Amino acid sequence: MEIDVQNVTHVYNAGTPFEHTALSNIELKIDSGTFAAMIGATGSGKSTLIQLISGLIVPTSGRIRVGDWEIGPETKDFSELRGRVGVVFQYPEHQLFEETVAKDIAFGPTNLGLSPSKVKERVRHAMEWVGLSEKLASRSPFHLSGGQMRRVAVAGVLAMEPDILVLDEPTAGLDPVGQRELLNRIRDLHQKRRITVILVSHSMEEAARYADQLFVLNRGKKVLEGSPASVFATGEQKLAQWGLEVPEAVQLATRLNERLNPPLANDVLTLEDLEKEIVARWKGDSC
Amino acid sequence: MSSLTHPVLGQYIPGDSPLHRMDPRSKLVFIFIFMMIVFLANNAASYGLLLGMTVLGVQLSGISLSIIIRGLKPILYLISLTAVLHLWLTRGGNVLLQWGPITIYEEGVIQAIWISLRFLILVLMGTLLTLTTSPIDLTDGLERLLSPLSRFQVPVHEYALMMSISLRFIPTLWEEMDKIMKAQRARGADFTRGGLLKRAQSYIPVLIPLFISSFRRAEELALAMEARGYRGGEGRTRIRTLQYRKLDVFLLIVLGCLVVALLWLRSPS
Ligand SMILES: Nc1ncnc2c1ncn2[C@@H]1O[C@H](COP(=O)(O)OP(=O)(O)OP(=O)(O)O)[C@@H](O)[C@H]1O
Ligand SMILES: [Mg+2]
């Protein structure tokens, strides 16, 4: 499903002294099957934007089209959209509530009105996708480790089998291995099931590694969009102004390019890319 | 679908009005006495005076009336309900209207007007206090005013601390609840459909996480306080001290005049 955000503005607490414009005049388009990332400093409006896309809040002005659905300031009924867009919130483990892991994961699919046998199957699949062993199904979610709780929460959303999966900083508070593993699983799912993924992150590294399309937000405005390589080509100073840091591998490649002639390819985004480039160059030079 | 972000009744709004600048202790004393003398009013002149004071207070606070009224909405329903009850149940004086089983007496109308006016004045003044005083100032002021009681083994400091922590966490809980509701809605929860029982049940997925996070927060806060060496009120000094100013003296003079004027204006009973 294609997502089309048209001239959207969102104001919190309009008409009170706490009024705050979180987003202004946002225009963006995400094609079906894209792995997109929203990046931006704290308070730049990322969470607000994805809540609008998921139909959890309505815009103050402008329209959002998700597939065949349209959301505007007047929209009231989102029940149709619910099953199609899955949202994993920041610290999703804080929303667990059921007695057992399986029951908690079943909450979403049950709300969709699926039959109990269907629900059971969905739960089993979802646990498999996130890498939770079946033994945990009957355990209380509150007695798991932080990383396991996070997976239960993600499974709860995946069990609804959404066409669009929105993840708000899903790796916050996980250890580096856990971060990698979670995102690798999401990427697998994206590739196998062709779902659209929108990843919110303030790590450029993470965004560059997984996303095909980046959107950079700064103080409620979209300041940049494009492939990771084109976004990094904007330059460190400019990105630093928006509170973002270029990944170390890209920084190193840029420094090397100041001395190398011909320069390295400009699509070096990760440490692995850089390694490949350097090895290729070195081999090329030595023979 | 609105999120739960409308200002809670009487939530502090920072500002620099004369009301903001007054010492919380004098404001507390004023409100305390005011709440008692409201009951002195019993005719148009005395109610008029109280209403005038309230309107003046709203003016001085620099907060727009529409915001105050928005926060008061739930209370306004309550006031209307009380007014209706008084209209219906009070007997005395001439019969003004008779319609089926409902008889409305002259006395009922008068009572309904006075009672709702009294209610409104009380609530407005109370909100003015919390709108213009930060929770910290409020509890500080209360603690200082009540500190003589600690000689009689009343744990004034502890009560004040409890109060300031609760006040501090109301907006946090509110935000948390908003967040959890959104998350569960994203998982297909519906808080608006079905009968009363079904609706109450639909809040279980919200309330359980909310309780858990409150306990977690309380634990973290206790740990943080202990780690920073907090061990009760004894011998504790403050970084911010309260100070009476000219404005406060003025407020207390106004209060004195108000009491005298009310005693003079009210009809003798
Ligand atoms: N419910 C709300 N009520 C009022 N203001 C809000 C609310 N939610 C967010 N804001 C404000 O809107 C702005 C954008 O917030 P948002 O949560 O979208 O930022 P973010 O980019 O997700 O930040 P972070 O990286 O910290 O999660 C912030 O200034 C924030 O204070
Ligand atoms: Mg956010």
Side-chain angles (χ1 to χ4, degrees):
Chain A
M1 285 197 297
E2 193 187 65
I3 298 165
D4 194 359
V5 176
Q6 299 157 352
N7 199 17
V8 160
T9 296
H10 189 80
V11 182
Y12 282 112
N13 302 319
T16 76
F18 304 102
E19 182 168 301
H20 180 87
T21 305
L23 289 175
S24 42
N25 306 98
I26 301 282
E27 289 271 351
L28 59 85
K29 218 176 207 158
I30 300 174
D31 288 332
S32 194
T34 311
F35 198 129
M38 310 263 173
I39 46 182
T42 265
S44 55
K46 306 179 297 285
S47 298
T48 307
L49 183 55
I50 57 148
Q51 285 176 36
L52 284 164
I53 292 174
S54 338
L56 289 165
I57 51 179
V58 294
T60 309
S61 69
R63 305 201 77 74
I64 299 145
R65 222 168 37 73
V66 179
D68 296 333
W69 292 284
E70 243 193 59
I71 305 165
E74 76 295 338
T75 312
K76 291 242 148 52
D77 184 22
F78 297 91
S79 38
E80 292 279 340
L81 200 59
R82 288 288 173 260
R84 313 278 36 110
V85 185
V87 195
V88 176
F89 276 83
Q90 261 166 317
Y91 295 99
E93 59 274 23
H94 293 175
Q95 290 116 39
L96 299 177
F97 71 98
E98 275 287 10
E99 297 156 76
T100 69
V101 167
K103 275 192 193 170
D104 208 286
I105 299 175
F107 182 63
T110 309
N111 283 332
L112 289 182
L114 298 175
S115 69
S117 62
K118 245 316 179 359
V119 170
K120 232 177 188 165
E121 198 187 300
R122 291 267 186 112
V123 171
R124 206 166 45 79
H125 274 145
M127 287 184 70
E128 218 176 276
W129 282 326
V130 296
L132 279 171
S133 102
E134 252 172 88
K135 277 180 288 182
L136 295 178
S138 54
R139 290 265 294 274
S140 158
F142 301 109
H143 295 157
L144 302 178
S145 76
Q148 285 172 325
M149 278 163 88
R150 178 78 50 98
R151 286 184 201 189
V152 173
V154 174
V157 173
L158 290 181
M160 297 176 78
E161 302 199 347
D163 300 322
I164 298 173
L165 179 63
V166 180
L167 302 131
D168 195 349
E169 306 205 13
T171 55
L174 293 183
D175 62 274
V177 178
Q179 294 184 357
R180 259 318 156 82
E181 202 184 308
L182 181 62
L183 286 176
N184 283 344
R185 283 182 187 279
I186 300 291
R187 178 163 59 190
D188 277 354
L189 207 65
H190 160 73
Q191 285 167 351
K192 288 207 185 97
R193 309 229 344 257
R194 302 307 312 158
I195 55 174
T196 309
V197 177
I198 303 177
L199 173 72
V200 172
S201 174
H202 50 230
S203 152
M204 287 284 246
E205 166 91 53
E206 201 174 270
R209 188 180 289 277
Y210 294 95
D212 331 310
Q213 195 180 14
L214 301 192
F215 297 94
V216 182
L217 294 185
N218 182 46
R219 294 166 188 264
K221 293 213 162 64
K222 186 190 79 181
V223 286
L224 201 60
E225 74 170 276
S227 67
S230 74
V231 166
F232 296 144
T234 313
E236 276 170 53
Q237 280 94 15
K238 197 90 194 170
L239 289 169
Q241 266 177 27
W242 298 325
L244 295 170
E245 203 170 52
V246 174
E248 274 173 9
V250 178
Q251 287 185 31
L252 183 56
T254 317
R255 300 275 185 289
L256 284 173
N257 279 346
E258 282 164 13
R259 309 193 168 198
L260 287 178
N261 191 19
L264 300 172
N266 69 354
D267 58 352
V268 171
L269 297 175
T270 62
L271 218 52
E272 289 85 347
D273 293 346
L274 185 62
E275 182 189 348
K276 254 187 253 157
E277 276 291 318
I278 292 178
V279 168
R281 181 65 67 96
W282 197 31
K283 278 191 178 149
D285 280 353
S286 57
C287 59
Chain B
M1 187 165 322
S2 71
S3 49
L4 296 169
T5 39
H6 50 83
V8 189
L9 170 70
Q11 192 187 358
Y12 174 57
I13 298 179
D16 191 37
S17 75
L19 288 198
H20 283 88
R21 274 177 283 143
M22 282 173 193
D23 188 288
R25 286 170 296 180
S26 43
K27 282 192 266 188
L28 278 163
V29 169
F30 181 90
I31 294 286
F32 186 67
I33 309 271
F34 188 88
M35 290 199 163
M36 296 197 284
I37 60 174
V38 162
F39 292 92
L40 286 176
N42 62 359
N43 58 13
S46 46
Y47 271 113
L49 178 66
L50 288 175
L51 195 63
M53 279 297 295
T54 316
V55 172
L56 188 70
V58 171
Q59 279 295 315
L60 281 178
S61 74
I63 297 166
S64 83
L65 194 61
S66 71
I67 287 165
I68 297 179
I69 288 179
R70 195 182 313 188
L72 284 182
K73 245 186 208 152
I75 304 282
L76 289 182
Y77 292 126
L78 201 63
I79 293 178
S80 327
L81 186 71
T82 341
V84 170
L85 282 179
H86 272 279
L87 269 181
W88 185 30
L89 296 176
T90 314
R91 279 145 211 274
N94 301 326
V95 173
L96 292 183
L97 189 82
Q98 177 122 39
W99 186 65
I102 299 166
T103 322
I104 289 178
Y105 294 89
E106 194 181 337
E107 195 66 21
V109 177
I110 296 174
Q111 281 297 321
I113 293 176
W114 285 163
I115 299 273
S116 28
L117 205 56
R118 181 187 294 168
F119 208 158
L120 189 70
I121 288 171
L122 280 174
V123 177
L124 265 176
M125 272 296 187
T127 2
L128 272 185
L129 173 71
T130 53
L131 278 171
T132 62
T133 320
S134 74
I136 293 186
D137 275 347
L138 205 60
T139 43
D140 260 11
L142 207 60
E143 183 178 351
R144 294 287 287 277
L145 282 176
L146 297 181
S147 62
L149 288 182
S150 57
R151 243 176 271 158
F152 306 106
Q153 309 296 321
V154 180
V156 175
H157 171 76
E158 281 72 15
Y159 285 151
L161 184 74
M162 266 159 57
M163 183 171 146
S164 76
I165 290 176
S166 331
L167 287 176
R168 155 68 185 77
F169 279 101
I170 288 175
T172 313
L173 267 182
W174 201 252
E175 267 166 40
E176 182 95 14
M177 173 147 150
D178 183 43
K179 220 186 287 173
I180 298 172
M181 278 179 76
K182 276 182 191 156
Q184 307 300 32
R185 258 202 322 248
R187 291 213 275 163
D190 191 340
F191 304 110
T192 53
R193 254 174 238 177
L196 205 58
L197 188 69
K198 188 133 190 251
R199 250 190 248 192
Q201 269 176 348
S202 71
Y203 274 90
I204 291 175
V206 176
L207 293 178
I208 291 178
L210 198 62
F211 269 111
I212 292 175
S213 78
S214 306
F215 281 119
R216 187 179 50 233
R217 236 180 227 135
E219 227 165 85
E220 282 168 4
L221 183 67
L223 207 63
M225 283 169 70
E226 229 163 275
R228 293 205 229 164
Y230 175 83
R231 58 175 82 76
E234 211 141 306
R236 218 172 138 72
T237 55
R238 322 180 155 267
I239 187 160
R240 298 162 344 115
T241 50
L242 299 176
Q243 211 164 22
Y244 289 117
R245 281 182 231 146
K246 273 197 206 120
L247 215 53
D248 300 294
V249 178
F250 181 69
L251 182 68
L252 296 182
I253 292 174
V254 168
L255 183 63
C257 296
L258 192 65
V259 176
V260 174
L262 270 180
L263 286 173
W264 182 60
L265 283 176
R266 77 191 296 255
S267 10
S269 45

